[in-house]
Amino acid sequence: MSMKTVTITVNGKLVRATEGEYLLKVLRREGIDVPALCQHDAVEPYGGCRVCMVEITKAEWNGWSDMVTSCLYPVADGLIVQTHSNQVIELRKTIIDLMLARNPHTPLIQQLAADYGINSTSFQPVPEPNDCILCGICTRICDTMGFHAISTVNRGHGREIAPPLGEAPESCVGCLACALNCPTNYIKFTDSGKTRTIWKKQFEMVTDKRTGAPTITREFAEYLIAHRNIPADYFDLNDESHRKETATNMGAIAAWSREDLK
Ligand code: SF4
Ligand code: SF4
Ligand code: FES
C-alpha cells in the first residue's frame, strides 16, 4: 500500500507528513515541544491526559477551529495546526492545574506545572494524593502483551490501577513491563534473592547457571518459550553472561581466522 505524502502547516511552517499518521508524531519529528503524558511508543494512543491538545483548522473551515488531542489525530492534507496559541495554552494550563490537584507531590506534574507558570493548583486537592497520573500506560502495555492482569478501578478521586479485586493477579507473569514503563515510578516491586514481588504476587526467578544471579521470573520465561519461540536454554544465562559468552565465541572465531590466514 502506497503511503501518501501530505503537506500541513504547523505554527506557520509547511511540514511534510504521511497521510493518516498521528499529529503528535509529526510534531515530535519537527522538534515541537507538546506535552504528552499518556503517550508511549509501545502502545496505541488513547487520549487520556489531554495535555497534548492543539488547535487545528483548514482553509475551507472559514475561520472555524477545533481543539484535538494530537496523539490521536490523523493528519490530512491542508491541516493547519497551532501548538501554542492562546487558546491552547489556556486549555493546557487548566488541564495541568487539575492534574496538580490530583498529583501535587509528583515531580513530573510539578515540573510540567512549573513549565506553564503554575505554582499551586486552583482546584480542591484530592484528600489522599499519590503519584499515579492515570496515564494508563501500564494497563495498555499489560493488555498489549495479552496478560490483562491490571486495570483502572473505582471512580472519581478513588480511581486507581489495581489487579482484579485487589488480589494477586493470576495472569500476571512478573515481567515488570508495567512498573518499568510507569512515568512516575508509582508501581512498586521488589527483587529479593530469587524472589520477585509485584502486585502482591510472588515469583520464583530463573537463575543464571554460571553465576546464580536471577534472570527473569519462571512464569515469564515459560511465556516467552511458548509464545515467542525463544529457546528454553536462553534463560540459563543472564544478559551479562550472554555478552561474555558472545565475547568468548568472538575470541575463538578470531583465533580460527588467524589460523586460516597462516
Ligand atoms: S508485571 Fe504483571 S501486571 Fe505488570 S505488565 Fe507484567 S504481567 Fe502485566
Ligand atoms: S501506575 Fe504509572 S503507568 Fe500506570 S496509570 Fe499510574 S502513572 Fe500511569
Ligand atoms: S498524550 Fe495525548 S491525550 Fe495524553
Side-chain angles (χ1 to χ4, degrees), residues 138-152:
C138 55
T139 55
R140 282 178 290 150
I141 283 186
C142 189
D143 288 348
T144 301
M145 293 191 299
F147 300 126
H148 308 285
I150 48 174
S151 59
T152 310

Side-chain angles (χ1 to χ4, degrees), residues 138 141-142 145 147 149-150 169 171-179 198-199:
C138 55
I141 283 186
C142 189
M145 293 191 299
F147 300 126
I150 48 174
S171 59
C172 177
V173 296
C175 68
L176 298 189
C178 53
I198 184 167
W199 300 116

Side-chain angles (χ1 to χ4, degrees), residues 121-136:
T121 182
S122 54
F123 295 93
Q124 181 72 32
V126 302
E128 291 176 29
N130 61 36
D131 280 337
C132 177
I133 61 171
L134 294 172
C135 66

Side-chain angles (χ1 to χ4, degrees), residues 24 35-39 46-53 69-72:
L24 180 65
L37 294 173
C38 66
Q39 193 275 342
Y46 90 126
C49 72
R50 308 195 84 73
V51 286
C52 69
M53 287 279 211
T69 45
S70 59
C71 66
L72 265 179

Side-chain angles (χ1 to χ4, degrees), residues 173-176 191 194-196 203-208 213-225 230 232 234-239:
V173 296
C175 68
L176 298 189
D191 279 343
K194 293 175 184 170
T195 306
R196 168 170 297 163
F203 298 88
E204 182 202 347
M205 303 295 287
V206 175
T207 50
D208 182 303
T215 54
I216 62 175
T217 66
R218 187 156 305 285
E219 281 90 337
F220 192 35
E222 284 166 0
Y223 164 81
L224 293 171
I225 292 162
I230 297 182
Y234 181 83
F235 301 108
D236 289 346
L237 300 176
N238 66 8
D239 287 349

Side-chain angles (χ1 to χ4, degrees), residues 9-13 23-24 27-28 30-36 51-56 66-68 70 80-93 96 112 115-117:
T9 307
V10 180
N11 299 339
K13 181 186 162 198
L23 178 54
L24 180 65
L27 301 177
R28 288 268 163 89
E30 289 298 309
I32 297 168
D33 183 21
V34 170
V51 286
C52 69
M53 287 279 211
V54 295
E55 188 175 357
I56 60 160
D66 196 8
M67 304 290 272
V68 296
S70 59
I80 300 166
V81 185
Q82 288 291 337
T83 62
H84 289 77
S85 64
N86 289 341
Q87 212 185 334
V88 170
I89 296 295
E90 283 314 306
L91 179 60
R92 215 176 274 158
K93 280 171 97 165
I96 295 168
L112 187 57
D115 291 347
Y116 280 79

